[in-house]
Amino acid sequence: MNGYEVIHEKSPAFYDRYERKGELQHQTHYCPGCGHGVAHKLIAEALTELGVQDRAILVSPVGCSVFAYYYFDVGNVQVAHGRAPAAATALKRAHPESIVISYQGDGDLAAIGTAEIVHAANRGENICVFFINNSIYGMTGGQMAPTTLVGQVSTTSPWGRRPGNEGLPLHVCELLASLETPTYIERVALNDMKNIMKAKKAVKKALEIQKNGGGFSLVEILSPCPTILKMDPIVARKWIGETLMKAFPLGVFRDHKPDLPPNAKVPHKSVAEALEVEEAAPQVPAVRRHHHTRDLTVKIAGFGGQGILLMGQLLAEMGLRENMEVCWLPSYGPEMRSGSAHCHVTLAHDRIGTPLISQPEVLIAMNELSLRKFAASVVSGGLVLYNQTRLPEDFSVSQARVVCVPASEIADRIGSAKVANVVMLGALLEETECLPAESAVDVLEATVKNPKLLDLDKLAIAAGRGYIDTEVEVGAVSQPDGYSY
Ligand SMILES: Cc1ncc(C[n+]2csc(CCOP(=O)(O)OP(=O)(O)O)c2C)c(N)n1
Ligand code: SF4
């Protein structure tokens, strides 16, 4: 066909399926006509053509493209708003053989992340930055970006951008080209096929420069955002050609390797040698007990106000004191009281890969809602500790053992409903033997300042352990009628 090759397939640099949602795994989350999808495609194709997919690391920003990591089958890192060039710097320096891409919107790069991009460019970091200029904040509903045009209406410039009030649009390519250290800076556009092909070349060139150790590249991509600009996708593309490109002219702003004076040679010395002090013997913390610690993943869930997060912190702190690797990840809604809250705790002897636990070995459900919501996620052969005397009539857990511990009732009897979480912690320690119970008392003594509450907490730990020892048969299995033993 006239020398063209027709390819009906996705770039292999994309995942086969986008597993963010249960349904529609063949399509992205972008709006119809959005330029992010096109820009992704150009990057994916260039990665494949250069044969660098396997060593590529994509740093996703905050903005509409926050989920880029669901699409690119490369190493992925998602960072805080604006911080992508800083994270990319660290990744590249730690893994010089990798190909590191910082992908950023104009709010992300030119507003909150101005410092990061300027300094990464000024250091001449050997990374590629793909900068999507759609002239607006997309994800948050259309606030003015530094790239918003004079007169352009946005939710924060309802009368149109006024130079005397909001300044003039920021020209990132021109700004960075005033530095001596960048290697390659170009502005391209996704307004028509010809320019899309040019954009592809620029993206590939930037990646090639990095592959050859050539230094810092930035490709600014003028990109349509039909949704926020309230335009039909075709009109949005036209608007780029007719309006946005006038304010942001396309072109190459820098295309040569900087001629920098060589770095001074730094003699390799240890810190002690450099400071001319004696090398200190490595500090190995005294281990009190090696026995009786067990790798465990625990999800603790209930209402805000039940001390859910604190329970997780206490458990993690106990693990720390036993020289384990620990992780505590809280998750709660905006409501301080009565909203739902849960946290994940990992106790491990080896390094922990992720703080998230999708299938916990233990679920502590402090209320019925949490039981119903999370029980099915417990691993087969796992354990559910439920804050009641029995499971709800219509509910059973087939794959995990259930132990019902009426922690709130026990706490009431001790003298305060507040310590139900600590009762449950005692039950967890006794049932799983994951950590020595003495360490719980040590942690409580170190963290609880109020002596009365400390006494109650000590009673609560003992009561939770006692309940398991006296009321729950060893190896008890949940019965069809919901009884735990
Ligand atoms: C520190 C911080 N400040 C503000 C926000 C809110 N926020 C999320 S996305 C966004 C704008 C992103 O716009 P842009 O970078 O232009 O990307 P687009 O959505 O247009 O692709 C803002 C302000 C945030 N998430 N974090
Ligand atoms: S809001 Fe704009 S930038 Fe965001 S996905 Fe939709 S079209 Fe793209």
Side-chain angles (χ1 to χ4, degrees):
M1 229 181 75
N2 296 338
Y4 287 102
E5 194 190 344
V6 182
I7 303 172
H8 295 289
E9 65 179 14
K10 254 196 308 208
S11 160
F14 285 132
Y15 290 116
D16 287 340
R17 287 185 315 147
Y18 306 141
E19 292 189 338
R20 192 174 78 85
K21 292 191 286 185
E23 72 285 5
L24 303 178
Q25 296 194 345
H26 60 285
Q27 67 184 48
T28 68
H29 70 291
Y30 296 119
C31 310
C34 173
H36 278 303
V38 180
H40 283 15
K41 190 163 183 258
L42 304 184
I43 297 168
E45 285 174 359
L47 288 173
T48 316
E49 287 165 23
L50 292 171
V52 294
Q53 177 188 355
D54 286 350
R55 55 188 173 113
I57 304 177
L58 178 77
V59 185
S60 306
V62 169
C64 283
S65 49
V66 63
F67 291 138
Y69 55 85
Y70 276 102
Y71 308 133
F72 286 92
D73 185 3
V74 297
N76 281 294
V77 177
Q78 195 280 318
V79 297
H81 212 13
R83 310 290 108 94
T89 299
L91 288 162
K92 185 69 188 185
R93 288 186 177 204
H95 301 281
E97 75 295 345
S98 59
I99 298 292
V100 180
I101 297 170
S102 174
Y103 185 100
Q104 301 179 260
D106 43 9
D108 189 83
L109 182 142
I112 193 160
T114 327
E116 280 76 6
I117 191 61
V118 169
H119 291 292
N122 195 44
R123 290 190 303 267
E125 297 295 341
N126 189 24
I127 59 172
C128 297
V129 181
F130 297 125
F131 166 44
I132 308 297
N133 175 355
N134 56 16
S135 82
I136 203 85
Y137 285 12
M139 182 190 184
T140 38
Q143 297 85 358
M144 194 192 80
T147 47
T148 299
L149 301 183
V150 171
Q152 188 178 334
V153 171
S154 73
T155 57
T156 47
S157 58
W159 301 281
R161 181 175 189 158
R162 295 163 298 165
N165 212 44
E166 289 94 34
L168 288 165
L170 196 74
H171 290 81
V172 169
C173 286
E174 289 83 339
L175 188 75
L176 297 184
S178 70
L179 304 172
E180 290 170 48
T181 33
T183 300
Y184 172 53
I185 299 177
E186 179 165 359
R187 183 180 293 123
V188 296
L190 303 179
N191 63 315
D192 59 26
M193 284 318 294
K194 203 168 128 213
N195 277 337
I196 290 176
M197 286 301 107
K198 282 190 181 166
K200 165 74 185 290
K201 271 194 183 158
V203 164
K204 191 170 172 184
K205 179 170 173 167
L207 289 166
E208 216 160 7
I209 288 172
Q210 182 178 168
K211 189 180 172 190
N212 298 329
F216 181 88
S217 298
L218 178 136
V219 179
E220 175 172 343
I221 304 175
L222 302 186
S223 172
C225 171
T227 302
I228 298 294
L229 298 181
K230 297 191 175 59
M231 292 175 189
D232 170 87
I234 296 173
V235 177
R237 279 193 176 197
K238 275 199 184 141
W239 180 81
I240 290 182
E242 289 164 8
T243 310
L244 196 61
M245 270 162 56
K246 290 217 171 79
F248 291 97
L250 306 191
V252 177
F253 295 84
R254 170 68 58 84
D255 191 8
H256 63 80
K257 205 168 174 195
D259 188 16
L260 301 175
N263 283 341
K265 279 235 175 319
V266 182
H268 185 76
K269 281 184 179 175
S270 69
V271 175
E273 281 166 348
L275 296 176
E276 295 175 0
V277 293
E278 290 240 328
E279 191 99 43
Q283 295 266 320
V284 182
V287 179
R288 286 184 302 138
R289 307 173 197 88
H290 281 294
H291 66 288
H292 223 58
T293 58
R294 179 184 147 189
D295 285 20
L296 201 65
T297 52
V298 186
K299 182 168 205 143
I300 307 172
F303 287 129
Q306 276 186 313
I308 301 295
L309 305 186
L310 178 66
M311 202 188 328
Q313 280 173 329
L314 292 174
L315 190 60
E317 180 65 37
M318 288 172 56
L320 267 186
R321 283 172 185 242
E322 296 300 327
N323 294 312
M324 295 186 84
E325 298 284 332
V326 302
C327 206
W328 170 78
L329 182 76
S331 168
Y332 43 89
E335 306 90 348
M336 285 294 146
R337 296 275 140 183
S338 309
S340 76
H342 67 261
C343 66
H344 297 160
V345 178
T346 306
L347 302 170
H349 289 98
D350 286 330
R351 286 170 69 181
I352 296 169
T354 169
L356 269 180
I357 304 170
S358 45
Q359 290 190 297
E361 288 157 295
V362 178
L363 168 70
I364 298 181
M366 292 299 284
N367 62 15
E368 188 179 329
L369 204 76
S370 309
L371 176 78
R372 290 186 185 273
K373 194 165 170 193
F374 298 121
S377 68
V378 175
V379 287
S380 173
L383 170 70
V384 176
L385 286 172
Y386 179 43
N387 178 19
Q388 271 301 344
T389 46
R390 55 182 295 168
L391 289 176
E393 293 287 334
D394 62 339
F395 191 82
S396 67
V397 184
S398 55
Q399 89 288 10
R401 221 157 58 80
V402 179
V403 173
C404 293
V405 179
S408 297
E409 265 181 51
I410 297 172
D412 269 342
R413 281 204 294 274
I414 293 173
S416 168
K418 269 191 194 166
V419 294
N421 56 348
V422 183
V423 172
M424 203 51 122
L425 191 60
L428 172 83
L429 296 177
E430 203 62 10
E431 184 61 27
T432 63
E433 299 187 346
C434 61
L435 287 162
E438 299 86 327
S439 133
V441 176
D442 289 353
V443 169
L444 288 170
E445 279 174 349
T447 42
V448 182
K449 300 289 170 241
N450 176 332
K452 269 195 188 155
L453 192 58
L454 178 61
D455 286 345
L456 265 180
D457 277 336
K458 285 183 182 171
L459 274 178
I461 280 276
R465 294 182 63 197
Y467 187 85
I468 295 290
D469 285 342
T470 55
E471 303 289 327
V472 179
E473 287 171 25
V474 174
V477 178
S478 56
Q479 303 297 310
D481 66 359
Y483 279 104
S484 60
Y485 54 90

